[in-house]
Amino acid sequence: MQLSSQLIVNLEQAIQDHNIEEIKRLIKQVNHADLADVLATLSFDVQVKLIEYLPHAAYVFEFLSLAQQLEIAEQLPTSQLVQLISEMHSDDRTDLFKALSKNLKNEVYAQLDPQIQQQIQKLAQYAEESAGAIMSSDFVALSPNLTIPQAIEQIRQQASDRETLYLIYIVDQASKLLGVVSLREIILAEPTKRIADIMTTDLVVGAVHEDQESIAQKLSHYDFIALPILDDEQHLLGIVTYDDAMDVAQEEMTEDFLKSSAVSSSPKMSIKTAPIFFLYKKRVFWLVILVFGSLLSGIGISHFEDIISANIVLVFFLPLLVGSGGNAGSQSATLMVRALAMGDVQLKDWMYLIGRETLVALCLGGTMAFAVSILGYIRGDAMVALVLALSMMGIVLLGCLIGMSLPFILNRLKLDPASASAPLVTSICDATGVIVYLFIASILLGQVAA
Amino acid sequence: MQLSSQLIVNLEQAIQDHNIEEIKRLIKQVNHADLADVLATLSFDVQVKLIEYLPHAAYVFEFLSLAQQLEIAEQLPTSQLVQLISEMHSDDRTDLFKALSKNLKNEVYAQLDPQIQQQIQKLAQYAEESAGAIMSSDFVALSPNLTIPQAIEQIRQQASDRETLYLIYIVDQASKLLGVVSLREIILAEPTKRIADIMTTDLVVGAVHEDQESIAQKLSHYDFIALPILDDEQHLLGIVTYDDAMDVAQEEMTEDFLKSSAVSSSPKMSIKTAPIFFLYKKRVFWLVILVFGSLLSGIGISHFEDIISANIVLVFFLPLLVGSGGNAGSQSATLMVRALAMGDVQLKDWMYLIGRETLVALCLGGTMAFAVSILGYIRGDAMVALVLALSMMGIVLLGCLIGMSLPFILNRLKLDPASASAPLVTSICDATGVIVYLFIASILLGQVAA
């Protein structure tokens, strides 16, 4: 439930009064995500005190965005920051640590427990957007020889600071993964059995260098709560949990979404708070590239200047015809980009899809040709209507085929198909459209003039 | 791990031989999602037999898409279908049931257990895309007075067919929700305590008529495994689990993504399998609407026909100038649509964002104006360069402001801001761009001519 503002007022008062008992009473029933929302709204000196008094300050702190965490971290007394960082889960801790300023990083690192130092070193080494960079080392691992009651006792002992204890990993003495068992299965098992009897050995795993998007897809495909992450020798290094997978899926889709409008991907930026120059940089690159695309259209037009001067009515219909090709093309491209991202189609389906797309494009082109030829007849004559109908048919067909093929080609070249943005497809289709339209016009209307 | 093709061959052989022991041995270690993938590749008569022999056929069946489920359901003997449906989880069961043909629905319904009939009736009544339509009634509910060992015993008894037992709901005798407790907390608690002592009473809940997107956002915000769904009198009706929330989030983003290219939303369609006419219908509506947008550009052009005829070089730069406005505008619109969808900005931020966008647009416009004026000087003269620079500045600025405002206006009118698609923004910006360009040209070049 959303916190009442009365509670926030009471909480601020209790913090001012250093009334720790009252603070504990007030927040007892408030969950970590809501407490983080409260924390974010407080003034800095109240924040510091609340972090000092909170029983699980680190878990609340983790619900803040990285930018908010950094802002607080940079102002906290070092000793308090060290304690906070020590209590965080290993994945969030590493993210925050990597983002600290160089000085602060060194200062904090020196005061951390050697075991935590080692864990940070390990996790910080993995490439951005790899499984290693998002995994947590806070998992429960057991030996296969335990009986069920022994296992439950072990889980109780390990549980307090683990991300999940609902999937328990079974490892040998060298930390190689042997199997997995869910807490559900342990609860339901006969007490006389051993873990080895009930564990699953058909394992779905992720590799530590695997792309985070692929990890998120596996979790979602199998509906797992967590996925174990292994190195090349099958050693269990960490887990990625379903909530991290949700965040990754959202990040990746935002990236694709921005690319679809030719904005360089940067899923974490906010248009509300990002610096003006940063937003400029993310957008100017593609805008300038696209200028060259449009130049092609201009060159096409200048090639047909004579036929335009002689039939100025052609200019009236130019935006309509050219625009329709671009619109149909960006529809095709978006459908294809999405289908490739969802794993719905593969490269080998290309010919089959081109065939289907041709049929759809013929229907679309036919409808549009019919509509535009009526307009042409009203404003021009039967010949203009014919030019428009033929051009529209050809332009929509070409637009669809270009829009459908571009993501495939990019994929084939190992580039991100999402770069086949609507503006890029539009400017390619525009140039094609100009040439098709004016070529058809110059043949048909040229003949009439002759 | 992906199934080896050898296993599939062995499995098919065992099914042909009716060797149930061998089938059980082969599939013992294979998880449900992978078995569903195998099931989908088999021929129909082998499918029927595998469903007959599988120990948890219903849970495997649930991993198939609804279309695949329907295909099999329509060919199964009714008695087998009734058994399969009875064993499915309540949310997937209701979805399948609602999709059955009318005759089959009646036939199956008559043979179902009265308790299941009632459950289907209840769940089927909720509107599409509401919490009620995606929730499951398979949750574990306990009384607050149980001791910890009693609670564990109850969980063991209820566990077998429940979606999750990791969050346990505490209800009074009228089924009103009192609190929630995680299995982790139960495992860690002192055996002498009662459930009422350890349960959380600050509850995050969903309402049964709430939109599924809002439910998914709550689950993701709080990192919960499941969210309880209540009616207006606080009765616990069902739960929505994290894996359903992932599916919803993906569906909603796909919907926005398709809309961004002016394809009517239909997240479940596949470009590989959807009927041609269906794809045509989803695309033709916006294409025809956009024709009228382009007509505005045509009308703008025809209004300035004289200045074009006198300065045919203007046509060469027309696509470039007009296109740049559309491109900048669709960038702005996409950033804004995404920010609104993520809850990053609200309506009240509009004026502030317009101010920021104006700054970004001036930087973008300045860069583009500089580039295009060089081209203009090469191909025309200093006066043409000036016309181009001024027009580019104005067009990019207007494009950005239109792109940023349109999603806001749609949101204000209670329409989906995602309808401010790149093609729609482009065609509005195109018409504006034509007028700005030719108006500036007619003033500056007109004066020179006079």
Side-chain angles (χ1 to χ4, degrees):
Chain A
M1 238 159 265
Q2 291 301 311
L3 289 178
S4 71
S5 50
Q6 186 54 49
L7 180 61
I8 295 176
V9 171
N10 291 346
L11 194 58
E12 282 191 331
Q13 187 57 50
I15 293 168
Q16 297 296 0
D17 300 346
H18 298 256
N19 186 341
I20 300 178
E21 282 314 306
E22 174 70 2
I23 295 172
K24 282 193 180 155
R25 194 189 67 77
L26 285 169
I27 62 171
K28 197 179 158 208
Q29 288 292 339
V30 182
N31 64 59
H32 294 161
D34 284 334
L35 272 179
D37 288 344
V38 173
L39 191 63
T41 62
L42 299 175
S43 66
F44 174 69
D45 50 323
V46 188
Q47 279 179 336
V48 176
K49 280 184 198 135
L50 186 56
I51 289 174
E52 195 180 327
Y53 298 148
L54 270 180
H56 294 290
Y59 296 165
V60 173
F61 193 68
E62 287 174 0
F63 271 100
L64 296 174
S65 72
L66 188 57
Q68 290 172 318
Q69 288 180 15
L70 269 179
E71 217 173 288
I72 296 178
E74 272 159 20
Q75 300 188 66
L76 275 184
T78 315
S79 63
Q80 211 183 332
L81 179 59
V82 168
Q83 208 201 328
L84 192 67
I85 285 187
S86 303
E87 285 168 8
M88 287 173 78
H89 285 115
S90 58
D91 49 349
D92 293 295
R93 171 166 61 210
T94 310
D95 287 343
L96 173 60
F97 185 80
K98 285 201 291 194
L100 291 178
S101 69
K102 210 180 162 193
N103 283 341
L104 194 52
K105 211 184 267 182
N106 292 336
E107 213 177 316
V108 167
Y109 189 77
Q111 298 182 41
L112 283 170
D113 186 270
Q115 207 187 335
I116 293 178
Q117 285 179 345
Q118 213 183 351
Q119 212 173 42
I120 288 179
Q121 289 290 359
K122 261 195 209 159
L123 288 180
Q125 71 182 305
Y126 299 108
E128 284 288 318
E129 308 211 344
S130 73
I134 56 167
M135 75 184 181
S136 153
S137 351
D138 306 319
F139 52 85
V140 178
L142 299 181
S143 140
N145 300 320
L146 300 178
T147 62
I148 299 298
Q150 285 170 332
I152 293 179
E153 191 43 43
Q154 282 273 327
I155 293 166
R156 286 174 61 118
Q157 283 171 21
Q158 295 189 27
S160 66
D161 61 345
R162 300 306 145 110
E163 291 248 350
T164 184
L165 42 84
Y166 300 137
L167 282 179
I168 288 146
Y169 299 95
I170 315 303
V171 292
D172 67 11
Q173 292 188 333
S175 286
K176 286 197 188 183
L177 185 63
L178 301 174
V180 64
V181 63
S182 68
L183 187 56
R184 173 198 287 254
E185 288 162 326
I186 293 183
I187 294 281
L188 291 178
E190 302 282 328
T192 55
K193 290 213 166 171
R194 287 182 180 276
I195 290 293
D197 303 330
I198 62 165
M199 72 184 183
T200 302
T201 55
D202 171 60
L203 297 168
V204 180
V205 301
V208 70
H209 297 294
E210 200 170 329
D211 188 76
Q212 61 173 4
E213 193 169 6
S214 145
I215 300 287
Q217 274 170 356
K218 276 187 193 167
L219 267 161
S220 155
H221 178 70
Y222 291 101
D223 287 351
F224 287 153
I225 286 183
L227 199 71
I229 307 297
L230 309 183
D231 66 11
D232 294 340
E233 282 87 40
Q234 311 298 310
H235 295 110
L236 179 59
L237 300 179
I239 57 169
V240 173
T241 48
Y242 69 96
D243 49 316
D244 298 322
M246 272 190 189
D247 294 344
V248 167
Q250 207 154 46
E251 241 176 59
E252 298 282 343
M253 274 222 228
T254 300
E255 219 174 284
D256 282 3
F257 199 72
L258 294 182
K259 274 191 192 159
S260 79
S261 260
V263 178
S264 301
S265 66
S266 181
K268 280 168 191 152
M269 85 181 171
S270 154
I271 53 165
K272 209 165 140 188
T273 55
I276 301 285
F277 186 69
F278 180 82
L279 287 171
Y280 166 78
K281 268 200 310 187
K282 289 287 167 195
R283 297 173 57 175
V284 75
F285 173 74
W286 272 106
L287 283 185
V288 171
I289 294 285
L290 292 169
V291 161
F292 293 96
S294 309
L295 267 184
L296 291 180
S297 298
I299 294 168
I301 290 176
S302 69
H303 185 76
F304 290 102
E305 261 172 20
D306 296 343
I307 190 88
I308 295 174
S309 306
N311 301 275
I312 202 82
V313 63
L314 291 177
V315 181
F316 177 82
F317 290 103
L318 186 65
L320 197 166
L321 283 170
V322 166
S324 299
N327 292 338
S330 34
Q331 287 183 333
S332 304
T334 300
L335 285 169
M336 185 54 77
V337 166
R338 197 78 208 103
L340 283 169
M342 308 271 286
D344 193 20
V345 301
Q346 275 93 42
L347 277 176
K348 63 180 169 52
D349 300 322
W350 189 60
M351 278 310 294
Y352 173 68
L353 287 167
I354 287 285
R356 285 173 59 91
E357 183 68 11
T358 307
L359 287 178
V360 176
L362 287 175
C363 297
L364 290 173
T367 311
M368 307 283 286
F370 176 72
V372 81
S373 62
I374 295 175
L375 292 173
Y377 188 74
I378 294 172
R379 203 174 160 94
D381 53 27
M383 205 48 166
V384 170
L386 182 63
V387 169
L388 293 178
L390 287 178
S391 305
M392 184 60 104
M393 202 70 205
I395 287 173
V396 169
L397 184 60
L398 274 174
C400 288
L401 295 181
I402 291 171
M404 180 128 300
S405 307
L406 199 57
F408 262 112
I409 294 169
L410 290 172
N411 200 342
R412 195 69 197 259
L413 297 174
K414 309 268 177 221
L415 296 170
D416 184 347
S419 306
S421 63
L424 181 62
V425 171
T426 302
S427 71
I428 296 177
C429 291
D430 280 1
T432 320
V434 164
I435 293 167
V436 169
Y437 175 40
L438 296 178
F439 181 71
I440 291 178
S442 70
I443 290 179
L444 291 182
L445 298 181
Q447 275 180 351
V448 172
Chain B
M1 238 160 266
Q2 292 301 311
L3 289 178
S4 70
S5 50
Q6 185 54 48
L7 180 60
I8 296 177
V9 172
N10 291 346
L11 193 58
E12 282 190 332
Q13 188 57 50
I15 293 168
Q16 298 295 0
D17 300 347
H18 298 256
N19 186 341
I20 301 180
E21 283 314 307
E22 175 70 1
I23 296 173
K24 282 192 181 156
R25 194 188 66 76
L26 287 170
I27 62 172
K28 197 179 158 205
Q29 288 291 339
V30 182
N31 64 60
H32 294 161
D34 284 335
L35 270 180
D37 288 344
V38 173
L39 190 63
T41 63
L42 300 174
S43 67
F44 174 69
D45 51 323
V46 187
Q47 279 178 337
V48 175
K49 280 185 198 134
L50 185 57
I51 289 174
E52 196 182 327
Y53 298 146
L54 272 181
H56 294 289
Y59 298 165
V60 173
F61 192 68
E62 287 173 1
F63 271 99
L64 297 174
S65 72
L66 188 57
Q68 289 171 320
Q69 288 180 16
L70 269 178
E71 218 174 288
I72 295 179
E74 272 159 19
Q75 300 188 67
L76 277 183
T78 314
S79 63
Q80 210 183 333
L81 179 58
V82 168
Q83 207 201 328
L84 192 67
I85 286 187
S86 303
E87 285 168 7
M88 287 173 78
H89 285 116
S90 57
D91 49 350
D92 293 295
R93 172 166 62 209
T94 309
D95 288 343
L96 174 59
F97 185 80
K98 286 201 291 194
L100 291 178
S101 70
K102 210 180 160 192
N103 282 341
L104 194 52
K105 210 184 270 183
N106 292 336
E107 213 177 314
V108 167
Y109 189 78
Q111 297 182 42
L112 284 170
D113 186 272
Q115 207 187 334
I116 294 178
Q117 285 179 345
Q118 214 183 351
Q119 213 173 39
I120 289 179
Q121 289 289 0
K122 262 194 209 159
L123 288 179
Q125 70 183 303
Y126 298 108
E128 284 288 317
E129 309 210 345
S130 73
I134 56 167
M135 74 185 183
S136 153
S137 353
D138 305 319
F139 51 84
V140 179
L142 299 181
S143 141
N145 300 320
L146 299 178
T147 62
I148 300 297
Q150 286 171 331
I152 293 178
E153 190 44 41
Q154 283 272 327
I155 293 166
R156 287 175 59 118
Q157 282 173 22
Q158 295 190 29
S160 66
D161 62 345
R162 300 306 145 110
E163 291 248 349
T164 183
L165 42 82
Y166 299 136
L167 282 178
I168 289 145
Y169 299 95
I170 314 304
V171 293
D172 67 12
Q173 293 188 333
S175 287
K176 286 196 188 186
L177 184 62
L178 301 175
V180 63
V181 63
S182 68
L183 187 55
R184 173 199 287 253
E185 288 162 324
I186 292 183
I187 294 281
L188 292 178
E190 301 282 326
T192 55
K193 289 211 169 174
R194 288 182 180 275
I195 290 293
D197 304 328
I198 63 165
M199 72 184 184
T200 303
T201 55
D202 170 61
L203 297 167
V204 180
V205 302
V208 72
H209 297 295
E210 201 171 328
D211 188 76
Q212 61 174 4
E213 193 170 5
S214 145
I215 300 288
Q217 275 169 357
K218 277 188 194 167
L219 268 160
S220 154
H221 178 69
Y222 290 102
D223 287 350
F224 287 153
I225 286 183
L227 198 71
I229 307 296
L230 309 183
D231 65 10
D232 295 338
E233 282 87 39
Q234 310 298 311
H235 295 109
L236 179 60
L237 299 179
I239 58 169
V240 173
T241 48
Y242 69 96
D243 49 316
D244 297 321
M246 272 189 185
D247 294 344
V248 167
Q250 207 154 45
E251 241 177 59
E252 298 281 343
M253 276 225 227
T254 300
E255 218 174 283
D256 281 3
F257 199 71
L258 294 182
K259 275 191 191 159
S260 79
S261 261
V263 178
S264 301
S265 65
S266 183
K268 280 166 193 157
M269 85 181 172
S270 153
I271 54 165
K272 208 165 141 188
T273 55
I276 301 286
F277 186 69
F278 181 81
L279 287 171
Y280 165 79
K281 267 200 311 186
K282 289 287 166 194
R283 296 173 57 176
V284 74
F285 173 74
W286 272 106
L287 283 184
V288 171
I289 295 286
L290 291 169
V291 161
F292 293 95
S294 309
L295 267 184
L296 290 180
S297 299
I299 293 168
I301 290 176
S302 68
H303 185 76
F304 290 101
E305 261 170 22
D306 296 344
I307 189 87
I308 295 174
S309 306
N311 302 275
I312 202 81
V313 63
L314 291 177
V315 181
F316 177 81
F317 289 104
L318 186 65
L320 197 166
L321 283 171
V322 166
S324 299
N327 291 338
S330 34
Q331 287 183 334
S332 305
T334 299
L335 285 169
M336 185 54 79
V337 166
R338 197 78 207 104
L340 283 169
M342 308 272 285
D344 193 21
V345 302
Q346 275 93 40
L347 276 177
K348 64 179 167 52
D349 301 321
W350 188 60
M351 278 311 295
Y352 173 69
L353 287 167
I354 286 285
R356 285 172 59 91
E357 183 68 12
T358 307
L359 287 178
V360 176
L362 287 175
C363 297
L364 291 172
T367 311
M368 307 283 286
F370 176 71
V372 81
S373 63
I374 294 174
L375 292 174
Y377 189 74
I378 295 172
R379 203 173 160 95
D381 52 29
M383 204 47 162
V384 170
L386 182 63
V387 168
L388 293 178
L390 287 177
S391 305
M392 183 61 104
M393 202 70 205
I395 286 173
V396 169
L397 185 59
L398 274 175
C400 289
L401 295 182
I402 291 171
M404 179 128 300
S405 308
L406 199 58
F408 262 112
I409 294 169
L410 290 172
N411 200 343
R412 195 67 198 258
L413 297 174
K414 309 269 176 219
L415 295 169
D416 185 347
S419 304
S421 62
L424 181 62
V425 171
T426 302
S427 70
I428 296 178
C429 292
D430 281 1
T432 320
V434 164
I435 294 167
V436 169
Y437 175 41
L438 296 178
F439 180 73
I440 290 178
S442 68
I443 290 179
L444 292 182
L445 298 181
Q447 275 180 352
V448 172

